[in-house]
Amino acid sequence: MGCELKEHEQALLNLRSGLGPCNLDFINLDTCVGRVKGIEDSPVVDRLKEFDCRNNRLAQLALHQDEFEQAVEKAKIRYGPERIGLFLGTSTSGILQTEMAYRHRDPATGDLPKTYKYKETQNNFSVAAFVKKYFKLEGPALVVSTACSSSAKVFAEASRFIQSGFCDAAIVGGVDSLCQTTLYGFSSLQLVSSKPCRPADPDRDGLSIGEAGGYALLEKPENGDFQNQIAFLGYGESSDAYHMTSPQPEGRGMAQSMQMALECSGLKANQISYINLHGTATQTNDKAEDKAVVKIFGSSTPCSSTKGWTGHTLGAAGITEAIICAICLNNNFIPGSLNTRMLDSDFCSNIILENRTEKLGYVLSNSFGFGGNNCSLIFGIHL
Amino acid sequence: MTTVYLDGIGIEAPGLRTWQQARLVLRGENPFYFEKKSHPVATLIPENERRRAGDTIHLAVHVAGEAVNNAKVNPESLINVFSSYRGALKIVDHMCNAVTLPDHPISPTQFHNSVYNSPAAYWCIATQTRGPSTSLACAEASFPGALLSATANVFTHKQGVLLVVYDVESPKPFHKQYAIEFNCGIALVLMPSQSENTLAKLDINFQSRKTEEMDMALSPPLVKLISGNASAQPLRMLSAVASQDSREMFYDYLENSVVEVKINPCN
C-alpha cells in the first residue's frame, strides 16, 4: 500500500489495494501478494550490516516513516534508554536468508556458506536485536512469535511490563516478510488463493499473503499531554485448545479473547463502534469469527476485514491492523471489505462491504494465529 | 522487585531426567553423569497428534507436564509463557531443503509444526488449556527474558504461570555456527501467592547494568551443561532451590542489562 500513514490512509479511502500478482523472483506460485516496494534497494545501515536480510530491511524501512525515529529519540531523552521496552512480533523472521543459504551449501560437506549469519538474520529474536541496536536502547526486549497474533500480543506484553515497573514506555511493533517456506507452506495446506483474497465472500478460497512492518510508541497517559492521540485501552488473549491449523468451529477462543479485551478496557460491547476482523478469507476462519463476533456483539456492530488491501501480513498483521484502526479513528471512517462481492449467506455479523464515514468511539481489532492463539485489542481517542 | 512463588519444576536434560532426581544431583548428594539421550515422548499428547509432533514439542510438553504435576495445579488455570533460543531448527532444515527441490515439497504437517508457538499449542490441545499463551524469543537470554515476562504476567493478572524453556540439538547444516549438542527443557510453575507446595520465593527485577560476578557454585560438568544450551540456564537458580540456599543471582540479559533473582527457599 506504500509507506507512511498518509499513503495507507489514501489507499483505504480510495479503495486502492496493495495486492498484485506475485512477481518475486524466488517464488513460483500463481497467487497475489502484498509486496512492499523498495526493500531490495534499502540495505540496513552499515554499522549493523551483519543483520542485513529482507526482514530487517523492512524493519528499518518502517522505522524511517512518519518521524518515528524522532519520537523514539525524544522518548529516550524523556525516560532514559534503559526504561524503554521493545516488544516486536514476527512469525518467520529472516528465514529467506536461510532459504538462500541452502541453495549455496558446500556440495561436499553440506555446510552453509560462511557469509550466512544465523543469529543476526533467521533467529526469531533478530528483528528485536536489530531495532534495539539501531536505536541504542537498553531496556527489556523480547520477540513474541505466536504466528499471526504475534504483533497484536506485543501490546499486551508491553502493557504488562509497564504495569510491573520493568519499563516506563515501550516500542511495540511487528515485521514479517515474504519468503518461500511461508508461501509454499500455506500453499501445501491449500490455504492460498490465486486471486486477491475475498474475506467473508461465499466464494472465498484462501489467503493472499503480504509483508509489512510497523511500530507504535506506548506511553502512560499520566506522562504527558496526549489529548486527541490514539489510546490503547485493553487486550484479550486466549487459546482455542482445538487444532493446529483450524480454528474451533464455534469461535469459542475468538469470542473469549474479545470478551477479555472488553473486560480489560472496562467497556461494554455496545460501546465498540467498529471491529477490524482477522478476516483471512479462508473458509474456516471467517465462519468461526462471524459466530464469535455475533456471540459477543450481536448482529449490529459494523465490522470488516482489511486483508483485501494488505493481504495477510502474518506476524505483522496485529500492528498493521492496529495502525489501520488508528487511521479509522482519526478519520471517523469505516473501511469496507475490499474485493468481497457479496456476503456469505450463513454469516450473521454486520460486515460492511462499502467504505463509510461514521463517528467512531472505540474500535476493536482481532488477530488469530495457528495453534489457536487469539488476541483482541481495543483502541480509542484519548480525551 | 516483583515476587513470585515457585511451586513446581519439570526437567529433561542429559543426566537430569526428572526434578526429583535432578534435585539430588544439584544438592551434590548424587554424582552427575552427562548422558546425552534425552528424547522424551510426551504421552500427554493424544496419539494422533503425538505421531506428528517433532522434538521441540515432545520436549516442551513433557517437562511442562512434570512441572504442573509437581505443583499440583490444574494446567487450565495457568497462563503459558514458552521460550526458546532456536525453536524447531530441524523443521527449518527440512523446509529450507524442500524449497531447493523441484515443486518445493513442503509437508503440510511440518509447516504447521514449524510455527514457533507449536509446542505451546500442542500443550494447550493436550491439556485443554484455553487461557493466554505466549511464545517468546530472546536469543541466549531466552530464559531471563521469559522469566521477566512470566513475572509480569503473575503480577498483572494475579494468576499462575507455566514457564517453559526448551532447545534441541541443532541439525547438521548448523553445526559450524552455534551448534547445540544436546536437548534441554525446563518448566517452572510460578504462582502469585505462597502455598503448601511452594518450593521458593523469588524476587525478580530488571536492571540496566553489567553483570559483575558469576556465581557458579556448581560442578564443572553442570557448568558445561548450562553453557551448552540456553534452556539449561534455570539450573543456576534451581541449584539454590535444591540446596535450600537463600541466594541472589544475576542473569545476563542482552547487553548492559541483567535480570536479578533473589531466591528464598520455602520448604
Side-chain angles (χ1 to χ4, degrees):
Chain A
M1 286 165 80
C3 291
E4 298 192 317
L5 282 170
K6 200 76 207 162
E7 271 197 71
H8 286 81
E9 188 183 290
Q10 289 305 313
L12 287 164
L13 292 168
N14 300 328
L15 305 174
R16 181 177 59 77
S17 173
L19 298 176
C22 180
N23 57 0
L24 292 150
D25 57 12
F26 53 84
I27 298 289
N28 179 16
L29 206 61
D30 180 22
T31 187
C32 290
V33 293
R35 177 180 178 179
V36 175
K37 286 198 190 81
I39 299 181
E40 291 79 4
D41 312 319
S42 318
V44 302
V45 286
D46 209 39
R47 71 181 165 93
L48 297 173
K49 61 173 183 275
E50 66 273 25
F51 287 89
D52 197 31
C53 65
R54 188 175 186 90
N55 209 56
N56 290 333
R57 287 181 178 203
L58 182 50
Q60 179 177 277
L61 196 61
L63 58 83
H64 285 163
Q65 310 306 320
D66 297 291
E67 300 184 349
F68 186 72
E69 266 185 278
Q70 290 85 329
V72 172
E73 291 307 325
K74 268 192 210 158
K76 276 166 68 182
I77 293 166
R78 172 167 210 167
Y79 301 102
E82 74 287 358
R83 296 297 301 167
I84 301 173
L86 175 66
F87 305 92
L88 300 180
T90 188
S91 68
T92 51
S93 191
I95 196 169
L96 178 63
Q97 211 66 13
T98 311
E99 296 167 7
M100 298 304 157
Y102 266 67
R103 293 185 190 177
H104 299 104
R105 274 173 301 175
D106 185 308
T109 63
D111 287 347
L112 293 165
K114 288 200 175 63
T115 49
Y116 168 68
K117 304 274 179 213
Y118 163 77
K119 191 181 164 190
E120 290 78 6
T121 60
Q122 129 105 76
N123 184 265
N124 265 33
F125 186 64
S126 148
V127 67
F130 171 71
V131 173
K132 185 176 187 293
K133 283 177 191 286
Y134 186 94
F135 284 124
K136 301 190 170 80
L137 295 170
E138 293 166 21
L142 284 171
V143 157
V144 175
S145 191
T146 52
C148 307
S149 60
S150 302
S151 63
K153 284 174 77 80
V154 292
F155 283 86
E157 202 63 30
S159 172
R160 285 188 284 263
F161 268 66
I162 292 173
Q163 209 172 327
S164 306
F166 295 148
C167 55
D168 295 322
I171 296 168
V172 295
V175 186
D176 244 344
S177 44
L178 295 167
C179 59
Q180 297 174 303
T181 42
T182 296
L183 277 143
Y184 293 132
F186 274 112
S187 176
S188 77
L189 289 166
Q190 299 179 313
L191 290 176
V192 180
S193 175
S194 59
K195 305 180 192 75
C197 67
R198 288 164 290 174
D201 193 290
D203 296 328
R204 65 190 181 280
D205 61 356
L207 318 167
S208 299
I209 293 173
E211 58 190 348
Y215 305 93
L217 177 65
L218 300 182
E219 298 179 73
K220 288 198 267 191
E222 59 267 33
N223 284 344
D225 175 16
F226 298 108
Q227 199 183 3
N228 296 326
Q229 303 270 330
I230 299 297
F232 165 50
L233 298 166
Y235 57 86
E237 297 165 285
S238 75
S239 303
D240 274 6
Y242 179 73
H243 192 265
M244 273 309 291
T245 56
S246 296
Q248 199 277 339
E250 301 305 310
R252 182 186 65 204
M254 298 169 168
Q256 188 186 330
S257 148
M258 289 185 264
Q259 183 62 41
M260 284 169 82
L262 286 172
E263 285 163 18
C264 179
S265 64
L267 294 167
K268 294 194 175 64
N270 63 11
Q271 290 175 280
I272 300 296
S273 30
Y274 166 63
I275 299 168
N276 187 287
L277 300 169
H278 187 51
T280 57
T282 63
Q283 281 292 332
T284 52
N285 173 83
D286 293 7
K287 197 172 186 173
E289 190 175 14
D290 174 72
K291 288 184 180 168
V293 166
V294 171
K295 186 174 173 202
I296 305 297
F297 295 93
S299 293
S300 59
T301 306
C303 44
S304 68
S305 162
T306 43
K307 298 278 197 291
W309 274 275
T310 59
H312 191 354
T313 60
L314 311 172
I319 187 71
T320 301
E321 287 158 34
I323 292 170
I324 288 175
C325 284
I327 292 172
C328 294
L329 285 163
N330 282 332
N331 291 277
N332 283 308
F333 153 77
I334 293 179
S337 189
L338 192 64
N339 306 332
T340 305
R341 288 165 304 189
M342 59 188 291
L343 278 184
D344 190 318
S345 59
D346 289 342
F347 285 14
C348 299
S349 58
N350 183 18
I351 295 174
I352 304 299
L353 292 183
E354 308 278 337
N355 280 0
R356 64 158 87 149
T357 305
E358 196 170 302
K359 177 88 187 114
L360 296 180
Y362 304 102
V363 302
L364 180 141
S365 176
N366 280 335
S367 297
F368 308 134
F370 263 11
N373 195 293
N374 310 307
C375 185
S376 303
L377 305 174
I378 296 179
F379 300 96
I381 300 269
H382 192 71
L383 300 174
Chain B
M1 279 290 177
T2 307
T3 302
V4 297
Y5 296 87
L6 174 61
D7 273 25
I9 301 164
I11 183 164
E12 177 72 46
L16 303 173
R17 313 308 298 271
T18 64
W19 169 242
Q20 213 179 353
Q21 177 251 336
R23 196 177 72 92
L24 297 174
V25 173
L26 293 172
R27 285 165 71 97
E29 289 177 19
N30 282 348
F32 175 65
Y33 299 111
F34 186 99
E35 291 168 53
K36 200 169 164 182
K37 261 199 162 333
S38 44
H39 303 278
V41 174
T43 49
L44 271 171
I45 303 174
E47 212 165 323
N48 252 348
E49 270 111 25
R50 201 187 304 161
R51 273 185 284 112
R52 296 192 198 128
D55 51 1
T56 51
I57 295 165
H58 278 289
L59 180 62
V61 171
H62 176 75
V63 295
E66 190 198 348
V68 164
N69 260 338
N70 287 342
K72 302 186 178 70
V73 287
N74 182 347
E76 291 170 44
S77 67
L78 302 175
I79 293 168
N80 299 330
V81 176
F82 281 51
S83 185
S84 173
Y85 180 2
R86 308 288 177 77
L89 215 46
K90 270 183 204 160
I91 301 183
V92 169
D93 175 46
H94 285 144
M95 292 199 308
C96 288
N97 204 30
V99 295
T100 65
L101 304 172
D103 300 326
H104 352 89
I106 290 186
S107 127
T109 301
Q110 283 216 331
F111 177 64
H112 72 60
N113 283 351
S114 78
V115 295
Y116 194 76
N117 57 312
S118 63
Y122 274 82
W123 168 256
C124 289
I125 294 168
T127 58
Q128 282 303 296
T129 296
R130 296 177 190 176
S133 183
T134 296
S135 294
L136 301 172
C138 198
E140 295 94 335
S142 63
F143 172 61
L147 183 61
L148 273 186
S149 170
T151 304
N153 265 291
V154 172
F155 178 81
T156 307
H157 300 297
K158 309 288 176 264
Q159 240 179 294
V161 169
L162 169 65
L163 166 60
V164 185
V165 288
Y166 58 93
D167 268 294
V168 298
E169 233 176 296
S170 342
K172 192 164 181 296
F174 293 88
H175 281 183
K176 285 250 164 89
Q177 280 191 338
Y178 317 103
I180 297 179
E181 288 167 9
F182 54 87
N183 294 355
C184 180
I186 296 181
L188 308 175
V189 173
L190 304 172
M191 302 298 286
S193 53
Q194 194 172 344
S195 77
E196 56 184 15
N197 298 316
T198 300
L199 302 168
K201 171 177 177 259
L202 308 175
D203 294 305
I204 290 151
N205 203 10
F206 169 81
Q207 288 184 14
S208 57
R209 65 174 181 80
K210 268 218 167 314
T211 329
E212 280 151 16
E213 89 286 15
M214 285 287 274
D215 53 327
M216 291 290 214
L218 294 165
S219 65
L222 274 171
V223 172
K224 199 180 150 207
L225 186 75
I226 292 169
S227 51
N229 186 317
S231 292
Q233 289 255 346
L235 287 173
R236 283 180 57 205
M237 191 178 100
L238 296 184
S239 71
V241 175
S243 313
Q244 296 184 286
D245 285 342
S246 289
R247 288 253 288 279
E248 182 181 26
M249 55 180 69
F250 299 92
Y251 276 102
D252 275 329
Y253 179 49
L254 313 170
E255 314 117 89
N256 304 319
S257 64
V258 294
V259 172
E260 180 187 5
V261 186
K262 274 190 192 158
I263 303 142
N264 282 295
C266 291
N267 281 313

